[in-house]
Amino acid sequence: MMWNGKITDELKELVRQYGQMFSGAWPHGYDELNYDAMTYDEFVGFIKECLATGKEMPEVVP
């Protein structure tokens, strides 16, 4: 499943940083995560947490 919510310049930059940190992985590319259940603010917050902690999305999304 992929992120289908709004796309902003902030989100684009966070996705770029995530890809650099995690060898080209995308924060919206994990099949086990339910992106439709996330708000934009939650999604951005999870990515920021990943960047701050060095953990990938499945490790930070409850």
Side-chain angles (χ1 to χ4, degrees):
M1 186 176 280
M2 304 263 309
W3 173 252
N4 293 311
K6 72 178 178 178
I7 305 295
T8 63
D9 289 339
E10 176 189 30
L11 180 57
K12 289 177 186 178
E13 177 59 22
L14 290 170
V15 167
R16 186 191 65 76
Q17 291 176 26
Y18 188 97
Q20 286 183 329
M21 180 176 276
F22 298 108
S23 302
W26 301 109
H28 55 274
Y30 297 93
D31 291 336
E32 64 269 32
L33 299 181
N34 184 3
Y35 297 97
D36 290 336
M38 294 179 202
T39 66
Y40 171 83
D41 290 335
E42 289 171 329
F43 185 50
V44 166
F46 291 139
I47 298 171
K48 288 179 178 179
E49 184 177 344
C50 292
L51 296 173
T53 63
K55 296 179 180 177
E56 292 188 54
M57 287 290 281
E59 297 175 274
V60 302
V61 176

